[in-house]
Amino acid sequence: MNRVPTSHLPVRHLPMPRFPIARVLAVVGILLALAAPAAARQVDDEPDATIELTARSPWLSDTEPLTLDVAVDGVTEGTTMRVRIHPPLADAAALEQSLADDVGGITRSVDLGPTDEIPVSPDGTRTIVLTGDEIRSQGVHPVVVELRSPEGGVIDLLRTPVIRLGADDAPLATPRLSIVVDAGLDPTIGPDGRRAVTATELDRLDRLATFLDAVATLDPAPPITVLAPADTLDALERTTDPRAPGLLDRLVTAAATDPVVLPYVAVSAAALESAGLGQALETAVAAGSFAMADRIGDSPAPGLWTDDEITPAAARRLAALGFETVLTSAAAIGEHDASGAADRLLVPAGPRPVPALVDSGLTALVADGATGSSLVAAALDRVDAGPVAVAELLLRDAGRRSDVVVRLSDIPEASVLRTVLPLLAATDAPVPIVPTPVGAVTTDGEDDEPEAVRLAAAADDLRLIADRFRSVDRAVATFDAFVDAAPSRTADLGLQQLTSVADGLDIDERIALLDAVEAVVTSGFDGVTLTGQTDLNLTSRTGTLPVAIDNTNDYPVRLMVRIRSDRLRFPDGEEFAVVADPDVTRIDVPVEALATGSVPTFVEVRTPDGSLLLDDRQLNVRSTAVSGVGLALSLGALAVLAAWWIRTWRKSRVSREGPQNP
């Protein structure tokens, strides 16, 4: 409670008597005179009557007055009210000071007359109305409402800042605010393939969803960019927490208002590119785009990429994928930290040029972390907390008309933003909420081109697992062709593998994910073996050879079987595709014998692309049948032998009988 004391009497102008007794009386009189105002001050200081602000309108314009609803208690007859208006404030530090003390001179004083003559509303409050005639100059003005005693002393007072908007032909220079709500969780897939979502993270998502629900109820609803990665949405879909389904629906609804393409899980384009894993970046974007389109029924176009580091190579790949702007933080480019310094100005978002990315066409958008921290801080315990917050944004802009972007991952219930949201969404708001500015570098036509941004270089940690990632990637691709009726198995493995290069993991966590993927793939391949007899008999010239494949997996698999032999012919070819169900699958391979006797036959089972040998074995085929060619050769040899024998026999007979006489 602030009180203003009365002034001392100007005692130096009192005449002094000539005689000593007179001098004594004069001194006593002076002391009594000095005591009188002191007593008056003591009465005025007693909080017999109070004044309190209960409600107010947000700002004042040429056409809309400012209303202050006040509750007055304990007033007596003769108590009056007065309004003091101070000059416009220069900065946020002065605003903070004005909430407790007088700042600057008084530009206007308005006497409202006796308190009991001010009409009382049904709720017991009195309304004070100020128009453009009382506050004529635009800006943020400290306004003080005093409750005064009949003697003119200040009994009680209240202070509140008033925003005076400009005229149509001379508008107030104001910033524009864009809000990006980041609902992404840390990577949710663990080495065991399960999704991990903690109760704390669900609480945070619930706060964000509640804020987005409030946004949707406003008319018109301000444009908010919602970052809801597919990894987060899938985690909510698969968690058993009873809150998850509702949170999923609320976040998808909010994200669908103005959908943006995000990678399936947050990754660093620069780090992937420098590790030679640029293809993984494309995979992450494609997976994220597919998942979002599947949920909202539409394929959003890429636009905004969020990252604190970028390289020309990464920028070119992002541009090729359709991205236009990289959202980075002011702290990442060294503009300022998230402090609440009184002299801190808003950070212009841009889009701003990035010299190193000029050939890619990408621009940078800078998120103001300090302003974001201010908006999610606890609101002042004041009725006018909303107007105070708007006034602070105006003063931190300092008339530059900045486009400001804040990226918020949590919005507590008692935050400034929740308090100020209805004010910022108003059609005449001095700090309007506008869509996130994505695209080419723009200016307002008055200022020079925005200051260029220099983004940090990429980290090197992904290089440590690059070779291993590529090896596992090849194995997963082979496994994808191998699995027949369970494509989700491969999809889940691919997402688990992709998570190994997500932001925020250490090297051990990355390796653990890759090990887990490789273990599943290897187990699937090891589940396929050749079985059955190895010694077989072929009793006719044509027939079939049985090949038995044991599949111990709980899903069917696609295989390629190769069979070869030097003395057997395979009418249907030596290579054929097979689908092996769980348990043992028998395949009868058509065969034609080219010779009799023991015929070695070699059988291989490979993955469908032939790249990986799963098992092989040798079959010993004993052929007891004679082939058509063999039979013809045998009969021909027998005929030759018979002809030779007959001829030889005849010659021998003639020789024994000798010549015959006529």
Side-chain angles (χ1 to χ4, degrees):
M1 197 78 65
N2 295 279
R3 291 165 290 277
V4 180
T6 56
S7 303
H8 292 288
L9 294 177
V11 297
R12 69 175 185 271
H13 297 297
L14 293 177
M16 296 296 293
R18 293 180 57 188
F19 302 103
I21 187 64
R23 291 193 182 100
V24 173
L25 292 175
V27 170
V28 172
I30 292 172
L31 294 176
L32 291 175
L34 289 173
R41 287 197 302 273
Q42 185 178 0
V43 172
D44 289 347
D45 286 349
E46 293 178 358
D48 294 334
T50 59
I51 183 170
E52 181 182 2
L53 182 67
T54 60
R56 54 159 289 179
S57 56
W59 39 74
L60 171 67
S61 68
D62 284 345
T63 57
E64 292 294 330
L66 178 81
T67 59
L68 303 174
D69 293 341
V70 299
V72 179
D73 187 39
V75 298
T76 59
E77 185 178 356
T79 303
T80 61
M81 295 176 63
R82 184 178 72 172
V83 176
R84 288 191 280 116
I85 301 166
H86 293 260
L89 298 170
D91 51 43
L95 172 65
E96 183 176 356
Q97 182 183 357
S98 73
L99 300 179
D101 300 301
D102 289 344
V103 176
I106 300 176
T107 59
R108 189 174 179 85
S109 180
V110 181
D111 288 320
L112 303 178
T115 304
D116 55 9
E117 293 183 7
I118 299 176
V120 181
S121 301
D123 61 359
T125 62
R126 292 170 167 82
T127 300
I128 300 170
V129 180
L130 298 178
T131 67
D133 291 334
E134 284 83 25
I135 304 178
R136 298 179 180 178
S137 59
Q138 59 182 241
V140 179
H141 294 260
V143 169
V144 182
V145 181
E146 298 175 338
L147 190 63
R148 303 175 69 85
S149 68
E151 295 77 18
V154 177
I155 304 173
D156 197 11
L157 57 79
L158 63 85
R159 302 177 186 275
T160 190
V162 172
I163 300 170
R164 173 60 160 94
L165 303 181
D168 291 339
D169 57 348
L172 178 65
T174 63
R176 298 187 300 178
L177 181 67
S178 298
I179 300 175
V180 177
V181 173
D182 189 349
L185 299 171
D186 290 336
T188 67
I189 304 176
D192 60 358
R194 297 179 181 178
R195 302 278 180 161
V197 184
T198 66
T200 300
E201 290 172 322
L202 288 174
D203 290 342
R204 178 178 68 86
L205 293 183
D206 190 27
R207 289 191 293 270
L208 292 179
T210 301
F211 170 78
L212 295 171
D213 292 343
V215 169
T217 63
L218 298 174
D219 186 19
I224 306 290
T225 299
V226 180
L227 305 182
D231 176 56
T232 296
L233 302 180
D234 284 353
L236 290 175
E237 187 173 52
R238 300 186 188 190
T239 186
T240 58
D241 192 289
R243 292 180 294 172
L247 283 174
L248 176 61
D249 291 342
R250 293 158 71 191
L251 289 177
V252 170
T253 299
T257 302
D258 185 19
V260 295
V261 168
L262 301 170
Y264 185 86
V265 65
V267 295
S268 168
L272 286 171
E273 198 68 34
S274 69
L277 300 177
Q279 187 59 44
L281 175 62
E282 297 185 10
T283 301
V285 172
S289 177
F290 176 81
M292 181 57 72
D294 184 55
R295 292 189 184 278
I296 68 174
D298 189 19
S299 296
L304 187 67
W305 181 265
T306 60
D307 215 331
D308 281 345
E309 54 186 25
I310 205 70
T311 59
R316 286 191 291 271
R317 190 178 294 270
L318 289 173
L321 291 172
F323 291 93
E324 302 175 64
T325 302
V326 178
L327 175 62
T328 188
S329 65
I333 62 174
E335 294 214 349
H336 68 62
D337 58 15
S339 70
D343 59 348
R344 175 183 55 79
L345 298 178
L346 301 180
V347 176
R352 295 157 66 174
V354 185
L357 311 184
V358 64
D359 63 335
S360 70
L362 258 65
T363 57
L365 200 63
V366 181
D368 188 342
T371 297
S373 297
S374 298
L375 289 175
V376 298
L380 297 173
D381 187 18
R382 300 175 57 103
V383 172
D384 58 353
V388 170
V390 177
E392 182 176 2
L393 289 173
L394 286 171
L395 293 170
R396 291 194 185 279
D397 180 54
R400 297 177 301 165
R401 295 185 172 89
S402 306
D403 284 320
V404 180
V405 172
V406 293
R407 181 180 176 183
L408 308 175
S409 59
D410 194 3
I411 306 176
E413 293 182 5
S415 65
V416 172
L417 183 57
R418 289 180 188 262
T419 300
V420 79
L421 177 65
L423 303 185
L424 301 182
T427 54
D428 61 342
V431 183
I433 299 177
V434 299
T436 305
V438 175
V441 175
T442 58
T443 64
D444 59 10
E446 298 179 5
D447 300 329
D448 295 333
E449 184 176 278
E451 183 180 355
V453 171
R454 300 190 181 278
L455 297 176
D460 294 333
D461 67 313
L462 293 185
R463 295 184 182 181
L464 301 176
I465 65 161
D467 290 340
R468 182 72 187 286
F469 183 92
R470 282 187 283 265
S471 174
V472 172
D473 190 56
R474 289 190 294 270
V476 170
T478 301
F479 188 77
D480 184 45
F482 168 78
V483 177
D484 180 59
S488 63
R489 294 177 183 272
T490 306
D492 289 344
L493 288 177
L495 296 177
Q496 193 171 0
Q497 175 202 355
L498 186 61
T499 302
S500 71
V501 294
D503 289 345
L505 301 182
D506 60 34
I507 187 66
D508 291 336
E509 291 171 318
R510 299 186 192 282
I511 292 176
L513 285 165
L514 293 175
D515 284 347
V517 172
E518 192 171 51
V520 172
V521 171
T522 301
S523 175
F525 292 152
D526 289 345
V528 174
T529 56
L530 288 165
T531 187
Q533 296 181 352
T534 58
D535 295 325
L536 303 171
N537 291 321
L538 187 62
T539 58
S540 62
R541 186 172 63 86
T542 60
T544 59
L545 292 181
V547 174
I549 301 173
D550 187 10
N551 175 20
T552 61
N553 295 300
D554 59 357
Y555 49 86
V557 297
R558 292 190 292 261
L559 304 169
M560 184 180 70
V561 177
R562 289 178 180 173
I563 187 168
R564 60 183 176 83
S565 175
D566 294 338
R567 287 183 284 173
L568 294 177
R569 190 174 73 86
F570 304 97
D572 292 346
E574 296 182 347
E575 186 174 291
F576 46 90
V578 173
V579 174
D581 291 321
D583 207 351
V584 177
T585 299
R586 172 173 167 153
I587 306 157
D588 292 322
V589 182
V591 64
E592 181 179 340
L594 299 179
T596 59
S598 180
V599 180
T601 302
F602 302 94
V603 180
E604 293 179 350
V605 178
R606 292 180 172 270
T607 53
D609 59 3
S611 63
L612 183 63
L613 176 64
L614 302 178
D615 196 15
D616 63 353
R617 63 176 8 197
Q618 178 179 323
L619 304 179
N620 298 315
V621 181
R622 183 171 180 79
S623 174
T624 58
V626 180
S627 68
V629 175
L631 180 61
L633 291 175
S634 297
L635 291 175
L638 183 60
V640 172
L641 180 61
W644 173 82
W645 183 81
I646 292 172
R647 190 167 56 249
T648 301
W649 177 76
R650 286 178 176 177
K651 287 182 179 180
S652 173
R653 182 179 178 186
V654 170
S655 175
R656 288 196 305 270
E657 293 179 353
Q660 298 180 359
N661 294 322

